[in-house]
Amino acid sequence: MAVFIHDTNIISPLGFSTDDNFQKILSGKSAIEQVFINDKIGSVYAGKINDELFNNHFQSIDIDFKGSRIEKLLIAALSPIVEKNPMKDDSVLILSTTKGNIAALANNDLNGAFIDQLTKNINHYFGFKTEPIVVSNACTSGVLAISLAKRFIEMEQCTNAYVVAVDELTPFVVSGFQSFQAMSSEPCKPYDADRTGVNLGEAAVAVFVSNEDRNEAIQILGDANINDANHISGPSRTGEGLFLSIEKALNEAKISSNQIDYISAHGTATLFNDEMEAVAFNRLNLQNVPTNSLKGYFGHTLGASGLLETVITIESLKNNVLIPSFGYQQQGTTQQINIITKKEQKVLKTALKTASGFGGSNSAIILVKNSENVRN
Amino acid sequence: MYAINKFINISQNVVCENGKSIFHNQEDTFAAFMKNVYKNLNISYPKFYKMDDLCKLAFIASELLLQNETEKDIALLFSNNEASLDTDLKHQQSIQNPENYYPSPAIFVYTLSNITIGEVSIRHKLKSESAFFIANEYQTNYMHKYTEHLLQTNKATKVLCGWVHCLNGAYKACFYLVESNGNLEHTIHNINNITK
């Protein structure tokens, strides 16, 4: 069964719609700036949604809603998608997040920090009649959520799914990444020789996935999510899990690596992650495919990043444009890969989106436009 | 048709295999109980002592199912209600008080529920499909369907499913391995019975 992604929406520091975000990226704008976290942490380079702007935006969606900030982000991301694609009885909500409403813990609100409570509220708000599916798989969650949407539709568990992903920039996460010494003290530089680590960010992203082929639909042609089985917080030196994820996704898509026009990679700008990806891409003969990381525009939005970057990938495919990898200047991985340095118009048909994360997780999906050639 | 050959339940100081108690002790703390089960398993895996409680529980339950397993293409589908809140609370405590601010990477790394999958994958060298789901209770309906989908589409040869609950001293694990042959048919009814 063929499965497609239709409408998309992004709530990020760069804007409150997919189009708004994509136009900002095309004009070379990054969300990364100095953000004050709290007295103890001080300021860090990060991507933070402006509360005043967002609250104004939210007024136009639901003036009466009194829930938490993260619920508002989810509602803002999903509302236009649900409006455009009326829900069916079997429609399923799939939520991707690493930490959900972890901000509640700072107020000693343990109940408020349960991710399934957050999901229940959103499921109820939109009136879904089915059990929601929540996936929390570190930084691969967003890509894995799309993979699961495809599979649950193939399984005929549902005919469509509303996939939504969110994570907030919180002292909880910032302090943790700092303790790991994984944070860059300047705007991040994925794949660059001088990269020194991650910038964190926040976003809420939603997409509509269904078995219906429509004009301008993007097909999910193949997918896989394979663990490194190597280390809980460090990527495999051989990139084995990522290698296997991409290989299996290509096999399912029945295409070879030379048919990939563009790779939207993970590129966190840590030394080891970017190096690992370069190794995996070379093992698959993907080293010449134009590749970028979008972390320089948004920072690492954790459980939202995979879905956020998938949406930008879809826009790249639709607009036939390669987007430069923000922050990159010179090759910084021992094995060469083809990092995009200039905005370029190019006919694009097939893209590979990957993600890797703590726990050794990896995910890969193949996206293709123009449905006349697709697998059924 | 798929089957369950072995299932493990751990709660209240008792470990059960296929519904029969195989280990119990009088220890009153979770940590002491887990340590005793670990010793009883006769394995040497020092990383066990570094794990948080959620991972220890997932590790032990998986170990009992995979100890003599030779298949490596085993998908891991774990789930629970509280994600990693047990360790999240510890990290929050370490950053809560500005006078005593001390976040630790050894704790922070366990503030992700899917680290349970990472630990089991590393232990058994499983380079395989996996996902961590969060729900208010074990979602037999879609876990059953998704498991069979992974097997039918050759995305996995076997599937290890597990509910792993650990929060503020309360704990419960229900793990089972789904494969081609076994004593118990892989049905929603049977899964409901063994994950009660």
Side-chain angles (χ1 to χ4, degrees), chain A residues 45 68 92 104 108 117 125 204 236 302 320 326 329 342 359 376:
Chain A
Y45 277 101
S68 61
V92 173
N108 293 319
Q117 192 55 51
Y125 180 91
S236 149
L302 307 176
N320 292 305
F326 198 94
Q329 283 171 316
K342 275 198 270 291
N376 276 300

Side-chain angles (χ1 to χ4, degrees), chain A residues 40-41 99 106 114 116 134-138 148 151 155 157 172 175-176 179 224-225 227 229 252 358-359, chain B residues 81 84 88 91-92 95 101 105 108 111-112 114 118 121 127-129 132-134 136 139 145-146 149 155:
Chain A
K40 195 68 212 176
I41 295 170
K99 297 311 308 166
F114 275 76
D116 86 294
V134 183
V135 60
S136 188
N137 230 63
L148 289 171
R151 291 173 182 185
M155 283 151 57
Q157 178 83 0
F172 185 99
S175 63
S179 77
N225 317 283
N227 200 283
E252 186 182 30
F358 277 10
Chain B
N81 177 227
S84 56
D88 294 353
H91 179 69
Q92 182 63 36
I95 63 168
Y101 178 87
F108 183 68
T111 63
L112 290 165
N114 69 303
S121 296
K127 290 166 190 157
S128 57
E129 278 286 338
F132 198 101
F133 297 96
I134 293 168
N136 62 334
Q139 295 296 314
K145 242 183 165 167
Y146 187 48
H149 179 75
K155 290 184 197 294

Side-chain angles (χ1 to χ4, degrees), chain A residues 50-207:
Chain A
N50 180 296
D51 278 330
E52 198 186 325
L53 292 178
F54 176 69
N55 285 332
N56 285 341
H57 173 72
F58 194 78
Q59 297 280 302
S60 67
I61 296 169
D62 187 340
I63 202 156
D64 300 320
F65 184 78
K66 294 278 181 283
S68 61
R69 180 175 185 265
I70 196 165
E71 286 171 324
K72 288 180 181 172
L73 289 169
L74 285 165
I75 290 168
L78 270 169
S79 282
I81 305 289
V82 174
E83 214 165 283
K84 248 182 125 176
N85 303 278
M87 209 173 284
K88 295 188 196 171
D89 283 351
D90 75 337
S91 294
V92 173
L93 176 70
I94 301 181
L95 173 77
S96 154
T97 187
T98 65
K99 297 311 308 166
N101 193 18
I102 198 67
L105 279 195
N107 304 321
N108 293 319
D109 176 13
L110 180 61
N111 286 338
F114 275 76
I115 292 171
D116 86 294
Q117 192 55 51
L118 170 67
T119 318
K120 230 176 272 169
N121 295 348
I122 299 301
N123 214 54
H124 178 76
Y125 180 91
F126 288 102
F128 285 93
K129 295 189 173 71
T130 55
E131 275 293 326
I133 293 163
V134 183
V135 60
S136 188
N137 230 63
C139 305
T140 61
S141 305
V143 180
L144 179 55
I146 302 170
S147 167
L148 289 171
K150 166 181 169 282
R151 291 173 182 185
F152 276 70
I153 290 169
E154 287 172 341
M155 283 151 57
E156 297 180 345
Q157 178 83 0
C158 55
T159 50
N160 62 42
Y162 299 72
V163 182
V164 66
V166 71
D167 264 311
E168 287 184 295
L169 185 73
T170 56
F172 185 99
V173 171
V174 174
S175 63
F177 272 80
Q178 273 186 338
S179 77
F180 252 101
Q181 300 187 312
M183 301 261 289
S184 175
S185 58
E186 53 183 0
C188 70
K189 298 175 171 177
Y191 306 110
D192 188 79
D194 295 328
R195 68 185 184 278
T196 55
V198 176
N199 298 148
L200 292 168
E202 60 179 5
V205 187
V207 307

Side-chain angles (χ1 to χ4, degrees), chain A residues 4-7 212-218 318 370-371:
Chain A
F4 305 89
I5 301 178
H6 303 287
D7 295 298
E212 222 180 289
D213 191 2
R214 301 184 194 161
N215 278 344
E216 293 231 321
I218 298 287
K318 286 183 176 173
N370 297 340
S371 44

Side-chain angles (χ1 to χ4, degrees), chain A residues 299-313:
Chain A
H300 192 347
T301 58
L302 307 176
S305 65
L307 197 62
L308 172 63
E309 292 157 12
T310 296
V311 172
I312 300 297
T313 300

